[in-house]
Amino acid sequence: MKDNIIRKNIKNRIFSLIICIVFSLFFILIAQNLPLYNTRAIAIASSCPSIYFPEDSWDFGEITPDELPTYIFKFKNIGDEILIIKEVKVSCESCIDPLISTRKLNPEEEGELKITVNSIDMIGRFNKRIYLESNDPINPQVVITISGFIKEKNESIFQPQTKIQPQPQTPFRIGMSYFGKGEYDKAIIEFEKSIELDEKHTESCYYLGQCYLQKGIIEYNNKNILKAYSLYRKANKFAEQVIPQYEKIIEDNPADLNSYLKLAYIYETRSIVPFVNEYDEALEYYLKALDLATSSSSALAGNTGIIIYLNTRIGYIYFEKKKNSQAIEYLEKAKEMSPQNVEVAYYLGLSYNKIGEKEKAREFLLRVIELSPQSEFAREAEKKLKKISK
């Protein structure tokens, strides 16, 4: 009896050892396959100018006739290169007056965008946009939205005036503010509060998953592979939850660009894990999003920031699928609109190299080093150039 127990214990230990070995090998495989994707994500965020607005919308509430209300949006350069504001455009030149405090910001420097609403000859509800274009290669165009309600001139003359208060800061909006600053633990708390208020709040679930994904990337770069994998699993749990929600939104509203973008990004990021390849799904949604963004009937027609982003992502996925001619087609479109985009230049260099056009490959890889010499892209470009020169 005792011998049977001993043999059983030995078998259990051997089984546990095998499981541990398999588990360890799996994480080693992850470590060998993830570096370029994850370091690229970090490099993009830090080795270039990067514009950040804590707020991107404001509701003025109820405005009295002939009033000229103002609001100041603060913004900051959270990158490590000089940020240059190229242009500020508005959707209504006669009713919105934008004034920017500075057009050149050093790293960590702050600026202000003062918006004045001219309510003369306006009446009723309004919703206007301000477009701020900069040399931020990842987010070249920021869209600021303002709204409010302008009363008729003779309205409320004999009635007490009640001013509608601006929209309160909800847990979701607070969470987005923390997320934009990279304070993921604080963002998680706020997104969880938002889900407690509405368990079907799709955007809160999506960004909660993104928080865990970004925390996983950080842990991976700190060589904490097991912790990174645990965080990736949490991120994937929320991805599985929101995929059918976004699909339902698209079913109800086929022109909902946001849902196409979110679904595409989910499938793209899930494909970085070994043995998972969902690039076809990502490509499908990115292409549909591009069709919407470039449609003349779309409210976003002419939004160059979104179009650059989509051409870049589509080009990158075609590169991963080893369809280099298609990759070049879309990356060239992105380059025409954003010549300073480091990621675009990098993947153009790799794609041209794959089809045997060595000179063009060198040209773009050298361009990467010139644009952002301290970035991960530049370090990888140097390695590729050495191989091409052999």
Side-chain angles (χ1 to χ4, degrees), residues 244-300:
Q245 294 178 18
Y246 282 125
E247 288 174 342
K248 182 64 169 62
I249 293 171
I250 289 172
E251 182 182 337
D252 295 337
N253 179 14
D256 188 86
L257 179 63
N258 176 65
S259 295
Y260 289 107
L261 291 171
K262 297 294 174 57
L263 283 170
Y265 187 69
I266 287 170
Y267 285 120
E268 180 187 349
T269 55
R270 294 208 312 187
S271 298
I272 69 174
V273 178
F275 314 119
V276 177
N277 186 337
E278 296 178 336
Y279 284 127
D280 285 339
E281 290 85 349
L283 186 61
E284 177 187 353
Y285 284 112
Y286 276 135
L287 286 169
K288 287 179 178 177
L290 184 60
D291 284 342
L292 281 174
T294 54
S295 169
S296 59
S297 60
S298 170
L300 291 166

Side-chain angles (χ1 to χ4, degrees), residues 125-377:
R125 170 63 59 180
F126 68 90
N127 195 305
K128 305 295 181 183
R129 292 183 177 87
I130 301 95
Y131 303 92
L132 190 143
E133 296 181 0
S134 72
N135 66 332
D136 180 341
I138 309 304
N139 190 19
Q141 184 181 73
V142 177
V143 181
I144 304 296
T145 304
I146 60 169
S147 56
F149 183 84
I150 300 171
K151 299 184 298 183
E152 293 187 35
K153 290 189 177 183
N154 59 352
E155 186 179 348
S156 301
I157 294 177
F158 303 104
Q159 301 174 11
Q161 294 184 359
T162 57
K163 193 174 183 66
I164 299 173
Q165 295 299 317
Q167 294 176 349
Q169 285 283 66
T170 62
F172 174 72
R173 290 177 65 83
I174 297 170
M176 287 300 295
S177 178
Y178 283 131
F179 182 83
K181 292 184 285 188
E183 298 181 26
Y184 301 118
D185 288 327
K186 292 180 179 179
I188 286 171
I189 293 171
E190 297 301 326
F191 290 135
E192 286 177 342
K193 287 180 184 176
S194 181
I195 293 169
E196 285 178 11
L197 295 171
D198 179 5
E199 62 181 14
K200 294 183 179 179
H201 194 269
T202 306
E203 294 290 281
S204 293
C205 293
Y206 172 82
Y207 281 103
L208 187 54
Q210 287 300 305
C211 286
Y212 286 118
L213 174 64
Q214 295 304 319
K215 281 168 63 69
I217 289 173
I218 292 169
E219 293 297 340
Y220 169 80
N221 285 320
N222 290 332
K223 310 300 181 185
N224 298 324
I225 305 300
L226 293 175
K227 190 177 288 187
Y229 178 67
S230 175
L231 289 163
Y232 290 151
R233 289 190 62 184
K234 284 187 177 181
N236 189 60
K237 183 187 80 170
F238 287 103
E240 290 291 341
Q241 182 178 336
V242 299
I243 284 173
Q245 294 178 18
Y246 282 125
E247 288 174 342
K248 182 64 169 62
I249 293 171
I250 289 172
E251 182 182 337
D252 295 337
N253 179 14
D256 188 86
L257 179 63
N258 176 65
S259 295
Y260 289 107
L261 291 171
K262 297 294 174 57
L263 283 170
Y265 187 69
I266 287 170
Y267 285 120
E268 180 187 349
T269 55
R270 294 208 312 187
S271 298
I272 69 174
V273 178
F275 314 119
V276 177
N277 186 337
E278 296 178 336
Y279 284 127
D280 285 339
E281 290 85 349
L283 186 61
E284 177 187 353
Y285 284 112
Y286 276 135
L287 286 169
K288 287 179 178 177
L290 184 60
D291 284 342
L292 281 174
T294 54
S295 169
S296 59
S297 60
S298 170
L300 291 166
N303 188 321
T304 56
I306 290 175
I307 295 171
I308 292 166
Y309 170 79
L310 288 169
N311 278 293
T312 304
R313 303 284 14 103
I314 292 168
Y316 165 74
I317 290 174
Y318 272 128
F319 172 79
E320 288 293 330
K321 287 168 62 65
K322 298 179 172 52
K323 295 184 177 181
N324 298 293
S325 296
Q326 290 96 321
I328 289 168
E329 176 188 349
Y330 285 93
L331 291 168
E332 284 284 4
K333 291 176 183 176
K335 185 206 74 174
E336 289 175 11
M337 292 182 283
S338 181
Q340 310 298 315
N341 193 310
V342 176
E343 183 180 9
V344 169
Y346 178 74
Y347 283 106
L348 273 171
L350 298 189
S351 298
Y352 275 117
N353 183 48
K354 290 291 185 181
I355 64 172
E357 295 196 29
K358 304 296 183 183
E359 286 307 314
K360 279 195 172 182
R362 288 192 189 92
E363 174 190 337
F364 282 109
L365 293 173
L366 287 169
R367 181 70 171 148
V368 171
I369 298 168
E370 177 189 343
L371 288 169
S372 187
Q374 303 302 317
S375 68
E376 184 68 21
F377 282 121

Side-chain angles (χ1 to χ4, degrees), residues 60-113:
F60 284 94
E62 192 172 284
I63 299 172
T64 56
D66 303 336
E67 185 181 352
L68 298 176
T70 64
Y71 188 76
I72 295 176
F73 291 92
K74 296 183 181 295
F75 63 96
K76 184 177 182 179
N77 178 10
I78 60 173
D80 60 7
E81 294 182 7
I82 294 175
L83 175 73
I84 298 172
I85 308 300
K86 298 178 179 179
E87 190 175 7
V88 180
K89 298 185 290 187
V90 295
S91 60
C92 174
E93 294 184 1
S94 63
C95 55
I96 300 173
D97 181 23
L99 180 64
I100 195 162
S101 62
T102 179
R103 290 185 176 268
K104 184 180 289 188
L105 290 86
N106 292 316
E108 297 302 313
E109 189 175 351
E110 295 183 349
E112 294 182 347
L113 176 64

